[in-house]
Amino acid sequence: MSDEPGTLERAVEATLFAAETPMGVEALCAHLGGLAPGEIREALGLLEARYRSRGVHLVERGGRWHFETAPDLAHLLRREKEQVRRLSRAATEVLAIIAYHEPVSRAEIESIRGVQTSAGTLDVLMEAGWVKPAGRREVPGRPVVYATTPDFLDHFGLASRRDLPGIDELRAAGLLDPVDEAMEAAMRFEPDEADEAQDDTPDPDDDENLAD
Amino acid sequence: MSDEPGTLERAVEATLFAAETPMGVEALCAHLGGLAPGEIREALGLLEARYRSRGVHLVERGGRWHFETAPDLAHLLRREKEQVRRLSRAATEVLAIIAYHEPVSRAEIESIRGVQTSAGTLDVLMEAGWVKPAGRREVPGRPVVYATTPDFLDHFGLASRRDLPGIDELRAAGLLDPVDEAMEAAMRFEPDEADEAQDDTPDPDDDENLAD
Amino acid sequence: MNASDQPFMLAPEAGRQDADALYLALDGWEGPLDLLLDLARRQKVDLRQISILALVDQYLTYIERAGALKLELAADYLVMAAWLAYLKSAMLLPKAEQEDPSPEELALRLQLRLQRLGAMREAAGRLMGRDRIGRDVFLRGAPEGLRTDRKTVWRSDLFSVIQAYGQVKARTAPRIYHVANRPVMTLDSALERVSSMLGVTLEWMEIRDFLPPHASPALKRSALASSFVAALELTKRGRAEIEQDGAFAPLRIRRLRDAAGA
C-alpha cells in the first residue's frame, strides 16, 4: 500500500471525492474520458483497499461508489458537547417540592414556595430528566401535575421517595433552622429588647406548630 | 507511509473529510474532545504528508485545514464543474490591491487605480466573501478600510498572505509604498541627477534619467 | 500567468488599426491612467526605464485622433491630456523658468503611479492564475457535515434537594407562627381589665399595676401598650384621669369619682 498511486487511481479518487452523488463504474468511465470499465474497477479495488485502514472508507452501495467516514468514527460527526451545570437554587427548590408533594401542580408549587416559578425552571428539571408531567388534576382548569422520574431516584441515590427524610428529620438535622436563626439574630441586635428577645428564642418545643 | 494510521490521525482525517468548512487546530481540538493542539498538529502533519502523492490533498489556508483535489487533476474535474465566479478586471484589480495593501481605504484603492471604484465592485468582492470591512483609519473622515478574509486565502490556495505571488519582491521594490513616500525617497537620493536631466536636451533617449 | 497581459494589449492593438476600433478601445480603458499604462507597456521596457516624454506624445496623439474623429471623450481623458501637455512643455523649458514642483517631479510621480498600477495589475493576473477552488481544485462534493449538539447535563445532589425543601418550609411556615400565635392583649380585653380594676379603688394606680403579673415578657409588652391605650380611652370617656410627673416618669391612673356610676 505504500507504493505511489497510479494516475488512474488518483483520478478516480479525486473524482469520487468531488462528486456530489455516488458514482457507478459507467459514470466514472464516461467522466474520465472513456476508459475501459475493467481499468476503473481495478482502480476502485486499489482505492478501496488503500482506504480500508483509514478514517475514511471508499464504499460501494448498489453499484455506486462514494467516500464516507469510517463506521467506527461515525460518532465524530455528531459530537455531543456536554456541558455540566449545577441546578439553580430555584430549580432545586421546585424539584424538592415536587419530590415531597408529588403529584403537584405548578400553582401548588408556587403556593408552597411563596414565589412565582418561571416556566424555564420546570423545563430545566424536565430536560434533566428528573421531573415529568403526570396527568392532570380533575379540578377546574385541569392543571397539569408533575412528578419525579426513576432517573430522579437514580441520580440522587434514592431507592424510593420514602427515603426522603421527613419534616421531623429535617428539623433534627437543623435544616429548618436557617430562617429562624436569621430572625433571632435580627431580634437579638435590637438594643431595647435584648433581654426580652432572649426569652423569645423559639425553642424546639414551641416550634411544633411550625411544621404541621 | 505504509504503516497503519493512528487513532488520532484517523479521527482528524474523518473530521476534516466530513467538515463543510475548513477547520483550524483549535476547532479540531474542541471537536475531538479537548486534545492538546500539539497532538492535532502532529496528526495534521502526518496526514498532509500521507496525502501528498494522492488525488486528494490536505492543505492549510490561513491556519485552517481542508481536503481538496490535487491541482494537477484540474482538467479531469473542471469540465462539468466550473462554478467559479468570473470577476471583472476592475474587481480583480481591486481585490489584488486590497490583498497586497491591506488594510486599505477606498480612496487609497482609487488613487492606485486612477479611477473611481464603482460601488458594485467592492460589493461583489464582499459578497464572494473575500473582502470585509476592517475598521476605520484614524485620520480625518475616518474612512473604512478593507482587508481580505480567510475565505480569500482558501479560494486562492494561499496558506497565508505571505504566499501572495511576488509580495516580497513588490515590497522590496517599494511598490507597496504610497507614491508620496516613494517620491520623497526618490527626491532625497537624486537631487543631482535631476539637475543634470534638466540641462540635457530632453530627447527620448535621455529620458532614462527621470526614471531612476 | 500571461493571462494578465492580454486584456490590455488587445485594446490598443485594435485601436491602432482603424478609427472605429479606437473608439471601442477608449471605451475599454478604465480611465486615463489605464490608457497610459497600456501605452507605457507598448514601449516594451521596464516601467522604471520608461520614457515619459514618449509616453506623453503617444497619449496626446491618441486623444487628438479621437478628437479628429469627433469621438466623445470623457472629461478625465481631456483633463489628463491638458495636464500632460503642460508637463511636456515644462519639460522642454529651460530650468530657470520652471515653477515648483519641477516637471521632473511631476514626471516621476506619474511614473511611480504607473509602476504601482502595473504591479497591481500583474499581481491580480497572478492571483487569478492560481489554483482556485471550484475551478482548479475541488472540495468534497458531499461532505457529511459535522454537527455539534450541545447538551446540558444538570447536576445536583440529595443534600441540596433536602436542604432546599427545608428552606422552603422554614421560609414560608414561620410567618404563620409569628403573626397568628403571638401572645397579645387586645384593646377590648385591656379596656375591660383596666376599667374593672379601676372600679376597685379611688387611689392612683401605676399603669404597671394593671399588667397581668405572670404573663410572658412578650404578652406583658402587648398588655402595656393595650392598657395605655385603654387608659387614654377611659380618660377620653370621662371615666378616669391620667397624670405623669415628667417625661418617662411613672404613668398614674385614677377613677373619676363622678363617673363611678356611669
Side-chain angles (χ1 to χ4, degrees):
Chain A
M1 278 319 134
S2 67
D3 51 329
E4 295 290 298
T7 311
L8 182 54
E9 187 185 329
R10 292 179 74 237
V12 172
E13 184 180 26
T15 303
L16 286 175
F17 172 86
E20 274 153 24
T21 51
M23 290 175 86
V25 172
E26 277 176 34
L28 283 166
C29 284
H31 186 85
L32 296 173
L35 289 154
E39 290 178 282
I40 299 286
R41 276 202 199 90
E42 191 188 341
L44 284 167
L46 286 170
L47 273 175
E48 195 271 328
R50 206 185 275 273
Y51 272 95
R52 207 172 287 157
S53 63
R54 309 216 44 91
V56 171
H57 290 176
L58 181 62
V59 294
E60 183 200 353
R61 300 249 191 284
R64 301 194 307 159
W65 294 77
H66 71 274
F67 282 108
E68 67 176 33
T69 309
D72 64 309
L73 298 175
H75 64 279
L76 291 176
L77 301 189
R78 187 176 297 177
R79 176 123 205 122
E80 245 180 30
K81 210 183 251 172
E82 290 198 343
Q83 194 183 6
V84 177
R85 288 178 61 184
R86 247 200 114 65
L87 212 53
S88 72
R89 173 74 192 270
T92 310
E93 283 187 15
V94 171
L95 178 63
I97 290 168
I98 295 174
Y100 273 90
H101 294 265
E102 76 178 46
V104 61
S105 73
R106 182 162 162 170
E108 288 159 355
I109 294 168
E110 290 181 350
S111 96
I112 293 167
R113 279 190 78 208
V115 281
Q116 285 221 328
T117 301
S118 75
T121 309
L122 269 168
D123 286 351
V124 162
L125 294 174
M126 289 195 273
E127 187 194 316
W130 296 334
V131 162
K132 61 171 193 293
R136 293 175 180 276
R137 178 149 293 155
E138 291 306 333
V139 297
R142 302 187 68 240
V144 173
V145 290
Y146 298 90
T148 54
T149 63
D151 276 359
F152 165 78
L153 296 177
D154 263 8
H155 187 271
F156 292 91
L158 295 164
S160 84
R161 275 184 57 243
R162 271 171 307 212
D163 288 358
L164 285 170
I167 295 295
D168 291 344
E169 290 162 295
L170 291 184
R171 186 179 314 110
L175 287 168
L176 290 179
D177 288 348
V179 176
D180 286 354
E181 277 171 5
M183 270 191 169
E184 186 191 326
M187 293 183 80
R188 196 175 296 140
F189 288 113
E190 277 178 328
D192 290 344
E193 301 169 10
D195 47 344
E196 294 178 16
Q198 217 56 287
D199 300 328
D200 259 354
T201 313
D203 66 39
D205 297 331
D206 255 6
D207 261 346
E208 248 91 336
N209 329 3
L210 274 183
D212 297 329
Chain B
M1 271 329 128
S2 66
D3 51 328
E4 295 289 296
T7 312
L8 181 56
E9 189 185 328
R10 291 181 72 237
V12 171
E13 184 182 26
T15 303
L16 285 175
F17 239 79
E20 276 152 349
T21 51
M23 290 175 86
V25 171
E26 273 176 39
L28 282 165
C29 284
H31 188 80
L32 295 174
L35 290 154
E39 294 177 278
I40 300 283
R41 274 198 202 93
E42 196 188 325
L44 285 166
L46 287 170
L47 276 173
E48 194 269 330
R50 208 185 274 273
Y51 273 93
R52 209 173 286 157
S53 63
R54 310 215 44 92
V56 170
H57 289 176
L58 179 63
V59 295
E60 183 193 1
R61 306 285 181 237
R64 304 186 306 169
W65 294 79
H66 71 259
F67 281 106
E68 63 182 32
T69 56
D72 65 305
L73 299 173
H75 61 286
L76 289 175
L77 302 165
R78 203 176 277 157
R79 64 184 74 143
E80 297 166 20
K81 302 204 64 163
E82 180 103 17
Q83 36 180 246
V84 136
R85 173 191 295 277
R86 279 204 80 78
L87 287 183
S88 69
R89 186 154 70 81
T92 60
E93 262 178 46
V94 170
L95 179 62
I97 290 169
I98 294 174
Y100 284 78
H101 290 82
E102 73 177 49
V104 62
S105 72
R106 186 165 169 150
E108 288 157 354
I109 296 169
E110 290 179 349
S111 98
I112 292 171
R113 297 192 63 229
V115 281
Q116 289 218 328
T117 302
S118 73
T121 308
L122 269 169
D123 281 359
V124 162
L125 296 175
M126 287 197 273
E127 196 194 319
W130 296 335
V131 162
K132 60 170 197 294
R136 291 177 180 276
R137 178 147 295 156
E138 291 306 333
V139 297
R142 302 187 69 240
V144 173
V145 289
Y146 298 88
T148 54
T149 64
D151 278 358
F152 163 78
L153 297 177
D154 247 13
H155 183 87
F156 290 96
L158 299 160
S160 77
R161 276 189 64 242
R162 267 166 306 189
D163 287 354
L164 283 168
I167 191 167
D168 290 338
E169 293 87 329
L170 289 175
R171 189 173 291 130
L175 286 171
L176 299 180
D177 301 332
V179 168
D180 286 337
E181 267 177 42
M183 276 296 285
E184 261 175 50
M187 302 308 285
R188 203 177 307 128
F189 291 115
E190 298 177 8
D192 294 339
E193 290 176 20
D195 283 353
E196 288 169 25
Q198 216 52 268
D199 300 332
D200 287 341
T201 321
D203 68 33
D205 296 330
D206 256 7
D207 264 348
E208 261 90 338
N209 301 359
L210 282 178
D212 294 331
Chain C
M1 303 293 164
N2 53 10
S4 61
D5 293 354
Q6 295 207 337
F8 30 93
M9 286 309 287
L10 285 178
E13 293 299 335
R16 214 186 298 178
Q17 271 152 35
D18 61 296
D20 291 337
L22 174 65
Y23 173 71
L24 293 174
L26 274 172
D27 206 31
W29 276 297
E30 269 200 78
L33 203 60
D34 194 12
L35 170 55
L36 273 167
L37 181 60
D38 266 352
L39 296 172
R41 293 220 175 210
R42 289 206 289 150
Q43 293 188 20
K44 299 226 158 103
V45 289
D46 189 325
L47 279 178
R48 282 169 296 183
Q49 310 294 324
I50 206 76
S51 159
I52 290 292
L53 262 187
L55 188 61
V56 167
D57 279 338
Q58 286 173 40
Y59 183 92
L60 294 177
T61 308
Y62 255 88
I63 299 303
E64 274 166 28
R65 280 181 59 195
L69 289 163
K70 299 194 173 144
L71 298 177
E72 270 196 40
L73 282 172
D76 51 350
Y77 284 93
L78 296 173
V79 169
M80 179 63 89
W83 185 81
L84 289 176
Y86 162 78
L87 176 62
K88 181 182 172 184
S89 62
M91 288 170 86
L92 297 172
L93 281 176
K95 192 191 175 187
E97 296 176 31
Q98 283 167 15
E99 296 172 11
D100 208 43
S102 70
E104 281 71 28
E105 275 179 57
L106 295 175
L108 176 59
R109 180 175 287 272
L110 175 61
Q111 187 180 27
L112 290 172
R113 289 189 70 188
L114 289 174
Q115 279 177 33
R116 274 155 186 73
L117 178 59
M120 282 303 104
R121 184 155 297 170
E122 194 179 314
R126 291 174 69 182
L127 200 53
M128 295 302 141
R130 290 187 61 85
D131 291 329
R132 291 169 63 185
I133 288 177
R135 188 187 70 179
D136 308 288
V137 297
F138 297 87
L139 302 178
R140 181 122 184 254
E144 289 94 336
L146 300 173
R147 285 246 310 270
T148 310
D149 298 340
R150 210 168 275 136
K151 193 186 165 195
T152 307
V153 176
W154 294 97
R155 277 184 53 156
S156 186
D157 55 79
L158 190 57
F159 179 72
S160 303
V161 170
I162 294 167
Q163 187 186 45
Y165 191 66
Q167 282 172 0
V168 168
K169 291 308 255 182
R171 186 176 66 220
T172 50
R175 280 185 199 156
I176 302 159
Y177 170 70
H178 284 286
V179 175
N181 294 348
R182 198 172 202 126
V184 291
M185 180 181 282
T186 62
L187 183 53
D188 285 342
S189 63
L191 262 176
E192 202 177 310
R193 184 178 169 86
V194 171
S195 48
S196 69
M197 287 178 76
L198 277 177
V200 176
T201 173
L202 279 172
E203 294 306 306
W204 287 103
M205 290 175 74
E206 281 202 22
I207 195 151
R208 238 175 247 285
D209 301 333
F210 294 95
L211 305 185
H214 301 296
S216 70
L219 182 58
K220 268 186 190 157
R221 281 162 65 212
S222 170
L224 179 63
S226 302
S227 302
F228 174 61
V229 176
L232 290 175
E233 179 63 25
L234 291 173
T235 306
K236 192 179 121 197
R237 290 186 197 167
R239 291 174 54 196
E241 59 183 341
I242 300 178
E243 78 169 27
Q244 190 177 27
D245 292 341
F248 303 109
L251 195 67
R252 289 196 294 269
I253 304 161
R254 183 171 67 170
R255 175 167 67 106
L256 275 182
R257 201 176 290 263
D258 344 344

